[in-house]
């Protein structure tokens, strides 16, 4: 491959060859990155040249580092965070997005991107059981989807009090009471900070043993609320996968005239499966919902959506008129629903993925992730030193490992030692976390290509790591 490339088509073909090779081998390499930052800088941190370098050789240089410098989250045995892979059709469509290089903010700037986004939005609402009249914004992920939802919520609850937050800001505005699932995702608190609602002044509503908001506690907290309020619930706790009892929460928020936002980054996809749908029953009664496409749906980074029951408020909260921004009648100007101005046509791979999967394909994709999580939990639970801490309702398995009796190390270090040993071994990758102040392993089944065989092989490796660490007084070297 070491030869100069002069035509665009040849350059793209060369990228395709590199990408094809990467994907063909990603399942067989160690899942963790093996290169350090220094290793990568040694070849990549070249002095900035005066006249630039050959594009084909630059691609070769990038590709040469990919197998060691990336984490194989595009492989079937990466179980970290909640990280979906990318379906081949979604990756391929994403290449077209880059090649077309459309600014997908206004219909007039890219009719194709605008139309595809509107269709993808419709399909997402259909799959999630949300009314067709809802508005949808395509953002980078659930962090921005929740931020956007809260900005719209802030606009709307203050508008109902006769306050125009867009014009007058929050200074002197009626206070907004915010109530959040006490185990809400970190990004909710970041979003609250960015939206000027403050992360420290919220009421954290108590949860049950799985991290679900307790409706009675919410009701009691709401009884003390005298001002406009925003409630943030969760569909899919990152540790347990648990979903808040949404149908009990909706009427409580409705009674107070509040706004209900649901962080449904991965859990909301339960709605696409008749077998799982009851977990998120009532979600259509929320005011806004954040959902990721780059997790469970397996489209490439980055893509999440904010779905909103109040399209007018959604639009008003995010857009200002400008003389050069003329709407196209009856067409979608995506810009109205997101904080961005210029933006990538990130709905295009979503369109392609959903069209390729169909309704049954999406359902199977989601159900398979959950079935594999149950399979993983079942295999691990057979070991006497392993405890599954959650009810495996979705795709998350939460694990703690205990040292054998008489083991000299600290019991609280044992779980982390198992994670380190698994990562070193290389077959799969697990997340380490603290849950309720105790070390845990988070195993997330989110990749479209993961098979039962991948799960069985990984479970064996994890159990071997438990045995290895049990026999090693100070944990892995
Ligand atoms: C991943 C996740 C987020 C953040 O989403 P991004 O796509 O990373 O911005 C928020 N909430 C939950 C429950 C998540 O799993």
């Amino acid at each position: 491959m070491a030869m100069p490339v002069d035509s665009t088509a040849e350059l793209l073909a060369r990228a395709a060859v590199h990408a094809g090779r990467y994907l063909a081998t990603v399942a067989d390499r160690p899942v963790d990155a093996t290169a350090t930052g220094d290793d990568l800088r040694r070849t990549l941190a070249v002095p900035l040249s005066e006249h630039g370098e050959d594009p084909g050789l630059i691609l070769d240089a990038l590709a040469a580092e990919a197998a060691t410098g990336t984490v194989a989250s595009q492989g079937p045995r990466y179980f970290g965070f909640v990280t979906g892979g990318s379906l081949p059709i979604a990756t391929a469509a994403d290449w077209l997005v880059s090649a077309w290089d459309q600014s997908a903010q206004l219909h007039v700037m890219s009719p194709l991107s605008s139309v595809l986004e509107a269709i993808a939005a419709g399909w997402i609402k259909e799959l999630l059981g949300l009314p067709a009249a809802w508005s949808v914004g395509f953002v980078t992920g659930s962090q921005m989807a929740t931020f956007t939802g809260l900005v719209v919520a802030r606009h709307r609850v203050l508008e109902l009090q006769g306050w125009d937050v867009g014009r007058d800001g929050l200074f002197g505005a009626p206070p907004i009471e915010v109530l959040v699932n006490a185990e809400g995702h970190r990004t909710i608190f970041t979003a609250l900070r960015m939206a000027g609602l403050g992360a420290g002044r919220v009421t954290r509503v108590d949860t049950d043993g799985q991290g679900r908001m307790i409706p009675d506690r919410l009701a009691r907290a709401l009884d003390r609320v005298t001002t406009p309020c925003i409630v943030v619930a969760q569909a899919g706790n990152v540790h347990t996968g648990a979903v808040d009892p949404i149908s009990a929460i909706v009427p409580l928020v409705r009674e107070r005239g509040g706004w209900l936002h649901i962080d449904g980054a991965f859990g909301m996809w339960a709605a696409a499966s008749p077998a799982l749908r009851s977990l998120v029953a009532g979600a259509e009664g929320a005011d806004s919902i954040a959902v990721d496409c780059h997790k469970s749906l397996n489209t490439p980074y980055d893509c999440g959506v904010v779905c909103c029951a109040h399209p007018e408020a959604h639009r008003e909260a995010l857009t200002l008129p400008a003389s050069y921004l003329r709407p196209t009648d009856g067409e979608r100007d995506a810009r109205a629903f997101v904080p961005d101005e210029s933006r990538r046509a990130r709905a295009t791979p979503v369109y392609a993925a959903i069209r390729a999967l169909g309704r049954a394909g999406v359902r199977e994709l989601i159900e398979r992730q959950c079935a594999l999580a149950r399979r993983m939990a079942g295999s691990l639970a057979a070991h006497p030193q392993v405890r599954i801490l959650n009810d495996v309702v979705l795709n998350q398995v939460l694990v703690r490992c205990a040292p054998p009796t008489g083991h000299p190390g600290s019991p609280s270090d044992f779980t982390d030692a198992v994670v380190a040993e698994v990562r070193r071994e290389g077959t799969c990758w697990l997340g380490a976390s603290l849950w309720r102040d105790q070390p845990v392993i988070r195993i997330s089944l989110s990749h479209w290509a993961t098979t039962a065989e991948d799960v069985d092989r990984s479970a064996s490796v994890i159990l071997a790591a438990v045995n290895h660490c049990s026999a090693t007084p100070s944990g892995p070297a």
Side-chain angles (χ1 to χ4, degrees):
M1 290 295 285
M3 57 174 185
V5 172
D6 46 19
S7 81
T8 298
E10 263 182 71
L11 191 65
L12 295 179
R14 190 137 150 185
V17 168
H18 283 310
R21 283 190 190 153
Y22 180 88
L23 293 175
T25 53
V26 72
D28 304 318
R29 50 163 277 202
V31 178
D32 210 353
T34 49
T36 63
D38 281 338
D39 293 338
L40 297 170
R41 277 182 291 274
R42 249 189 304 280
T43 55
L44 297 173
V46 296
L48 177 59
S49 73
E50 191 58 32
H51 300 292
E53 298 178 48
D54 177 77
L57 297 181
I58 295 169
L59 283 185
D60 296 347
L62 295 176
E65 307 304 330
T68 56
T70 61
V71 170
S73 54
Q74 260 288 52
R77 292 182 306 282
Y78 180 82
F79 306 123
F81 305 91
V82 188
T83 302
S86 178
L87 292 156
I89 176 63
T91 301
D94 200 53
W95 286 2
L96 295 182
V97 170
S98 289
W100 298 339
D101 194 31
Q102 302 286 281
S103 178
Q105 49 173 312
L106 301 173
H107 181 86
V108 71
M109 296 173 86
S110 181
L112 177 59
S113 305
S114 160
V115 166
L116 291 176
E117 187 169 309
I119 297 168
W123 286 345
I124 288 173
K125 284 181 278 187
E126 221 178 305
L127 290 165
L128 299 181
L130 300 175
W134 281 37
S135 46
V136 177
F138 286 80
V139 287
T140 48
S142 281
Q143 167 71 86
M144 288 308 289
T146 287
F147 170 69
T148 305
L150 292 178
V151 164
V152 182
R154 185 185 74 171
H155 169 86
R156 178 74 178 156
V157 298
L158 289 176
E159 184 185 44
L160 294 173
Q161 302 289 308
W163 186 269
D164 182 347
V165 68
R167 189 187 60 205
D168 300 324
L170 287 170
F171 303 100
I176 301 174
E177 199 86 39
V178 180
L179 303 94
V180 180
N181 174 320
E183 289 189 39
H185 196 268
R186 188 170 35 85
T187 50
I188 292 164
F189 298 94
T190 308
L192 288 167
R193 292 170 70 118
M194 294 193 293
L197 296 168
R201 60 185 284 286
V202 302
T203 301
R204 291 169 181 253
V205 182
D206 288 341
T207 57
D208 65 14
Q210 294 293 315
R212 284 177 298 234
M213 195 192 277
I214 302 171
D216 282 351
R217 300 295 170 85
L218 175 65
R220 242 185 287 161
L222 283 169
D223 282 341
R224 292 193 295 270
V225 168
T226 52
T227 59
C229 70
I230 299 171
V231 174
V232 185
Q234 176 164 265
N237 176 299
V238 281
H239 285 107
T240 63
V243 179
D244 286 348
I246 297 168
S247 47
I249 291 170
V250 166
L252 298 175
V253 183
R254 284 283 80 78
E255 265 170 44
R256 271 79 174 181
W259 180 286
L260 176 61
H261 175 81
I262 299 174
D263 173 7
F266 63 95
M268 206 40 221
W269 286 103
S273 154
L276 299 166
R277 189 172 292 155
S278 62
L279 284 171
V280 294
E284 69 285 355
D287 298 286
S288 55
I289 305 180
V291 193
D292 269 326
C293 296
H294 56 217
K295 291 179 178 168
S296 316
L297 186 62
N298 280 259
T299 63
Y301 288 106
D302 39 29
C303 187
V305 294
V306 57
C307 304
C308 181
H310 311 276
E312 274 319 301
H314 195 169
R315 206 184 277 278
E316 285 164 16
L318 293 164
T319 37
L320 276 176
S323 56
Y324 58 90
L325 299 180
R326 304 229 174 91
T328 309
D329 274 350
E331 299 292 356
R332 175 183 175 87
D333 286 331
R335 196 265 154 273
F337 306 106
V338 293
D340 308 280
E341 187 81 0
S342 302
R343 58 196 279 281
R344 181 174 182 77
R346 61 172 61 82
T348 300
V350 176
Y351 169 92
I354 296 177
R355 184 165 166 181
L357 290 166
R359 199 189 293 276
V362 174
R363 181 170 71 228
E364 280 157 18
L365 177 64
I366 303 304
E367 289 175 353
R368 191 163 66 239
Q369 292 165 21
C370 301
L372 291 174
R374 292 192 297 272
R375 186 180 183 100
M376 178 70 90
S379 301
L380 296 181
H383 194 291
Q385 287 166 249
V386 175
R387 203 149 65 86
I388 307 299
L389 303 174
N390 66 324
D391 300 335
V392 183
V393 291
L394 285 174
N395 59 336
Q396 304 296 116
V397 186
L398 193 63
V399 180
R400 184 168 298 141
C401 304
T405 39
H407 190 263
S410 143
S412 68
D413 292 341
F414 192 78
T415 296
D416 284 345
V418 171
V419 171
E421 171 59 18
V422 169
R423 288 191 198 164
R424 188 202 58 74
E425 195 276 343
T427 299
C428 64
W429 201 100
L430 310 176
S433 182
L434 288 179
W435 191 59
R436 300 185 171 173
D437 300 326
Q438 294 295 318
V440 288
I441 302 175
R442 287 181 51 217
I443 306 178
S444 174
L445 279 294
S446 308
H447 198 289
W448 64 272
T450 306
T451 62
E453 197 257 323
D454 287 311
V455 167
D456 295 348
R457 205 175 130 196
S458 301
S460 301
V461 165
I462 296 165
L463 295 182
V466 173
N467 294 338
H468 175 87
C469 293
S470 298
T472 316
S474 49

